Amino acid sequence: MADIERDQWARFKGRLRTNVGEDFYTSWFARMDLERIHDDCVHMTVPTKFLKSWIQAHYADRVLACWQSEAPSVKRIELTVRTAMRCAAPVKDAKAPLGQPRPELGNGASRPAPELRNTATAPVSASHEALGGSPLDPRLTFATFVMGRSNTLAHAAARQVAEGRRGDSVMFNPLYIHAGVGLGKTHLLQAVTWAGNSNPERKVLYLTAEKFMYGFVAALKSQTALAFKEALRGIDVLVIDDLQFLQGKSTQSEFCHTLNALIDAGRQVVIAADRPPSDLESLDDRVRSRLAGGLVVEMGSLGEELRLEILKSRVSAAKAHHATFDVPMPVLEYLAKTITHNGRDLEGAINRLLAHSKLNATTVTLEMAEREVRDLVRPMEPKRVKIEDIQRVVARQYNVSRSDLLSSRRTANVVRPRQVAMYLAKTLTLRSLPEIGRRFGGRDHTTVLHAVRKIEALVAKDVSLSDEVELLKRQLQE
């Protein structure tokens, strides 16, 4: 780098640091290096595709403006992803317009984030299968994960795990991610696995709960249970998907022992399920307690803006294989507004439009989209009601405390509100009778069943109570 370029680079970094602030500069630009300035283009490098994409998507204009303030002749910026083996030479196949970021390390050192290094998926997949892991989808990486308000924390936590190195202190363990169907849990877990296994120093194993159960049962039958346990406990990062499907006392006991052994040894555990740990009623209390002791992150429903970005990314991916395929923006906006259930429905909608367009040799129109995806347009889901909300609203309505509802008191002014709350918990949530009983001070499921039947009978003949119950329902569902 010539002295004049070195001076321009130093002044540019100062301008950018002032423009975006110290925290953002440290997070996104501290590992960006200048490669060269040629004609009207500034060539810079970053260590990962993720960082390259992030800068291009969110900071391209600011970066260009800061360069133009320093060198008015600059008309464009080009970012490339540098590999682990080179720092100065350009990457021939990694060039792209500004919009795909890459992180740097302090003290002048640079290394790519492990999950987004230019590593072929085949060796990673082969090494993972050799460990006995569940199959991985090469599409489910951090580079293809679309971020929004509902999944930012889960994404950041997953990346923190993926970019760790053997021997690093574990910040949160276990990392527990829960969300409904099709909101991105599996995508994040597989992204962590792809990322971690691209670093030869670490062993990252992705297992579905079903695969874990099958492996344990098979080991018992073949009398190799000890080897199975030792193999799992030698993993650096254990990733378990769909934990809600883990069944069987012996399997759950082995999972609990494995979980404890890994955490106590400073190894990372990442888990996903469709509900928080406290709602996994089929699991042992010890397991639920250990899971709740880590970082529990919920991935919320997809907002309209995020749904639109997901649709755009799916169309972009489809165009890589079908160059003439195009979906007009009004169609994308219609899909984002009307298909609200989950990300898989959005991907299914794009697949339908692609199939219809290619097989019938027609362009995508709004009328065609309305016709092809009509079964994916579902009514808005009712608000998800929690038992804690029911207890709070009922306690306020009847002028008692929540602790009264959970207590063993049998006075009339407490018994009736408690029965109403149990009835509402049964009718407005998907929780089982034993789970409801546990949430009401550890009561037996027969007590809950008695309360439900009692209120059902009273509502049928007591107009005043019926009105009260309907009022409570409206308050909880608004």
Side-chain angles (χ1 to χ4, degrees):
M1 186 189 301
D3 290 342
I4 187 170
E5 289 185 353
R6 187 176 292 107
D7 292 341
Q8 287 179 318
W9 174 241
R11 289 194 295 270
F12 160 76
K13 289 193 293 184
R15 289 179 185 275
L16 185 60
R17 190 188 301 269
T18 302
N19 187 289
V20 302
E22 183 65 32
D23 290 343
F24 282 96
Y25 181 87
T26 302
S27 298
W28 302 111
F29 302 100
R31 290 181 281 175
M32 183 166 64
D33 285 341
L34 176 65
E35 189 172 85
R36 69 184 186 277
I37 302 175
H38 181 69
D39 294 333
D40 63 350
C41 181
V42 176
H43 299 263
M44 295 179 292
T45 65
V46 289
T48 70
K49 291 180 181 178
F50 168 77
L51 189 53
K52 177 174 176 282
S53 299
W54 183 268
I55 293 176
Q56 286 176 320
H58 298 87
Y59 294 102
D61 293 340
R62 294 195 192 187
V63 171
L64 181 58
C66 287
W67 266 115
Q68 289 176 335
S69 297
E70 178 59 36
S73 61
V74 171
K75 297 295 187 294
R76 58 194 180 93
I77 303 294
E78 185 171 299
L79 282 180
T80 56
V81 180
R82 57 178 176 266
T83 66
M85 299 304 295
R86 76 113 184 102
C87 208
V91 180
K92 292 182 179 180
D93 297 329
K95 291 183 179 180
L98 182 60
Q100 291 191 337
R102 46 72 194 214
E104 291 181 6
L105 299 179
N107 302 323
S110 66
R111 64 173 170 87
E115 84 290 1
L116 294 179
R117 206 164 16 178
N118 289 339
T119 304
T121 60
V124 172
S125 182
S127 64
H128 180 261
E129 289 178 6
L131 294 173
S134 297
L136 296 175
D137 187 335
R139 299 171 299 172
L140 303 184
T141 66
F142 283 118
T144 60
F145 188 84
V146 183
M147 286 191 298
R149 183 179 303 174
S150 62
N151 59 30
T152 300
L153 179 58
H155 175 270
R159 284 195 61 86
Q160 176 75 26
V161 171
E163 295 180 2
R165 311 192 81 176
R166 177 176 287 182
D168 289 352
S169 59
V170 179
M171 185 174 296
F172 27 72
N173 206 10
L175 169 60
Y176 185 99
I177 300 172
H178 66 96
V181 175
L183 298 183
K185 303 185 302 298
T186 296
H187 193 146
L188 270 185
L189 264 60
Q190 291 209 15
V192 169
T193 309
W194 283 116
N197 280 330
S198 68
N199 182 346
E201 294 181 355
R202 304 172 86 200
K203 293 180 181 179
V204 183
L205 181 64
Y206 169 82
L207 292 173
T208 62
E210 180 184 20
K211 180 82 171 182
F212 179 89
M213 290 189 293
Y214 173 81
F216 180 62
V217 172
L220 290 177
K221 289 182 178 179
S222 62
Q223 298 182 346
T224 57
L226 183 59
F228 176 82
K229 296 176 183 180
E230 292 303 316
L232 281 182
R233 295 173 190 184
I235 298 298
D236 295 296
V237 182
L238 178 62
V239 182
I240 301 288
D241 202 359
D242 290 326
L243 187 66
Q244 69 273 9
F245 295 132
L246 191 66
Q247 301 293 330
K249 288 187 176 180
S250 60
T251 307
Q252 290 184 15
S253 177
E254 177 54 33
F255 173 76
C256 183
H257 292 317
T258 300
L259 181 67
N260 289 333
L262 288 172
I263 293 176
D264 292 343
R267 309 293 177 87
Q268 179 73 59
V269 179
V270 183
I271 294 170
D274 65 354
R275 66 200 75 166
S278 59
D279 288 356
L280 292 172
E281 54 205 54
S282 64
L283 292 185
D284 185 88
D285 287 342
R286 294 174 302 165
V287 180
R288 288 200 300 264
S289 175
R290 195 75 198 240
L291 295 176
L295 175 62
V296 178
V297 182
E298 180 178 11
M299 295 174 65
S301 58
L302 307 176
E304 184 175 334
E305 183 178 349
L306 179 55
R307 296 197 296 270
L308 181 59
E309 292 303 314
I310 290 173
L311 288 166
K312 289 179 181 178
S313 73
R314 298 301 178 261
V315 171
S316 178
K319 291 182 72 170
H321 301 282
H322 307 277
T324 60
F325 177 62
D326 186 53
V327 182
M329 183 56 68
V331 175
L332 292 177
E333 292 174 345
Y334 164 75
L335 297 177
K337 186 178 293 293
T338 57
I339 301 177
T340 60
H341 193 61
N342 60 55
R344 290 174 186 159
D345 285 352
L346 296 173
E347 186 164 6
I350 297 301
N351 288 338
R352 292 187 190 189
L353 297 183
L354 174 62
H356 194 282
S357 174
K358 302 300 290 185
L359 296 177
N360 295 327
T362 59
T363 58
V364 176
T365 64
L366 184 57
E367 181 183 5
M368 181 234 280
E370 291 175 341
R371 182 176 65 252
E372 293 300 315
V373 305
R374 58 184 180 274
D375 63 307
L376 296 178
V377 179
R378 310 181 187 183
M380 292 296 291
E381 293 184 351
K383 177 185 175 182
R384 182 180 175 185
V385 179
K386 299 179 180 179
I387 291 180
E388 291 79 3
D389 295 333
I390 292 173
Q391 293 169 342
R392 175 177 49 79
V393 171
V394 169
R396 184 178 60 202
Q397 174 71 20
Y398 290 97
N399 197 28
V400 295
S401 67
R402 182 170 175 268
S403 60
D404 287 334
L405 298 179
L406 305 185
S407 71
S408 59
R409 292 180 57 190
R410 301 288 301 167
T411 55
N413 68 318
V414 173
V415 170
R416 178 58 56 81
R418 183 186 296 135
Q419 290 177 334
V420 169
M422 290 180 177
Y423 167 79
L424 291 172
K426 179 58 181 172
T427 56
L428 298 181
T429 76
L430 298 178
R431 303 281 77 85
S432 65
L433 294 177
E435 173 66 9
I436 294 172
R438 190 176 67 81
R439 298 290 196 88
F440 280 83
R443 287 176 163 77
D444 188 82
H445 73 280
T446 56
T447 304
V448 181
L449 181 60
H450 170 75
V452 171
R453 290 176 175 173
K454 178 74 171 180
I455 298 302
E456 285 177 342
L458 290 174
V459 164
K461 58 184 179 181
D462 188 333
V463 176
S464 176
L465 180 60
S466 177
D467 290 342
E468 285 181 4
V469 170
E470 289 302 316
L471 174 63
L472 289 169
K473 287 182 178 180
R474 288 196 298 272
Q475 291 177 4
L476 289 164
Q477 291 175 330
E478 287 178 352

